[in-house]
Amino acid sequence: LGIILEEIGMENKGVQVKEIINGGAAESTKIVPGDVLLQVNEVDVTTYDFDGVMDLLISTDGSIDLTLGDGLGQMDMPKNVLNQLKSTEDAFFVDAVVREAVRECRQRSGKLGDLLQVEVIVGAGVRGSRGQVRFFAIFSTDSISTYSCNVSATGVRQSDESIQIVALSCAKDEGLGQTLELIRED
């Protein structure tokens, strides 16, 4: 498979991608650390523990189809953010920009640690095919302690409806520490 899996947490069931193996099958996909395993060959594994998922993977003959999600669940937007947007379509676009920004942060996790969750979207705007968002996210560098980070991202809707993040920065410790530019717009 080319991925290393781990159990999500002590109180939660489920398994997530911990690491992508260099040279493995997953390296050429869009799978990133933090993605949550939802299905193995159409079997819902969201409530399985690590051993249950491994047993299922080992017992599977032939090809294995994995369905993964970003693990963010439904993100609520505060009323003031929704009021800044012109339509429901803009709200879905903002949601997609946040999710793609999370994927980009997770791909570059060495600088910030693991992005665990999005706390709240604090600002958003859409103009044409560009969406700008600002949100607070929780990161961890050691799986024990956490810190908050103010993330700003600009996403552009592509002709195939995918989102490309063209600018991404993270202000560690809510701006009191350092700001890391992960993607700089040309």
Side-chain angles (χ1 to χ4, degrees):
L1 296 176
I3 56 177
I4 296 174
L5 300 171
E6 67 180 351
E7 203 156 64
I8 289 177
M10 293 173 51
E11 70 280 346
N12 296 326
K13 292 283 188 178
V15 174
Q16 67 184 3
V17 175
K18 179 180 180 180
E19 187 177 327
I20 307 298
I21 298 171
N22 288 336
E27 191 174 41
S28 62
T29 68
K30 290 188 169 194
I31 298 172
V32 296
D35 280 353
V36 174
L37 188 58
L38 304 174
Q39 293 182 338
V40 174
N41 291 346
E42 298 185 19
V43 175
D44 181 346
V45 295
T46 56
T47 60
Y48 283 37
D49 63 10
F50 180 81
D51 291 334
V53 169
M54 293 309 295
D55 289 344
L56 181 59
L57 288 170
I58 291 167
S59 69
T60 301
D61 291 329
S63 66
I64 297 175
D65 291 321
L66 303 178
T67 303
L68 297 123
D70 56 27
L72 297 176
Q74 180 180 341
M75 287 188 283
D76 293 326
M77 284 187 222
K79 193 171 187 173
N80 65 319
V81 173
L82 287 171
N83 289 339
Q84 295 170 13
L85 303 173
K86 296 177 183 169
S87 66
T88 303
E89 181 180 303
D90 284 355
F92 282 111
F93 180 46
V94 164
D95 181 271
V97 171
V98 170
R99 290 176 190 280
E100 190 60 31
V102 166
R103 293 186 72 73
E104 292 289 345
C105 286
R106 286 177 172 167
Q107 286 178 324
R108 294 161 173 76
S109 65
K111 294 181 179 181
L112 293 163
D114 297 326
L115 191 154
L116 303 177
Q117 71 181 52
V118 172
E119 274 191 302
V120 64
I121 299 169
V122 294
V126 175
R127 182 173 289 155
S129 63
R130 294 175 67 86
Q132 294 181 309
V133 298
R134 194 165 62 99
F135 59 93
F136 285 106
I138 302 297
F139 289 82
S140 177
T141 55
D142 59 11
S143 300
I144 298 169
S145 58
T146 61
Y147 65 91
S148 181
C149 200
N150 182 342
V151 180
S152 296
T154 301
V156 177
R157 184 180 294 133
Q158 303 298 297
S159 59
D160 65 357
E161 295 298 315
S162 66
I163 306 296
Q164 178 186 4
I165 300 299
V166 296
L168 179 63
S169 65
C170 301
K172 193 172 178 181
D173 297 324
E174 300 178 5
L176 301 174
Q178 61 186 10
T179 298
L180 299 172
E181 285 194 62
L182 301 178
I183 300 174
R184 184 178 297 200
E185 189 166 20
D186 296 330

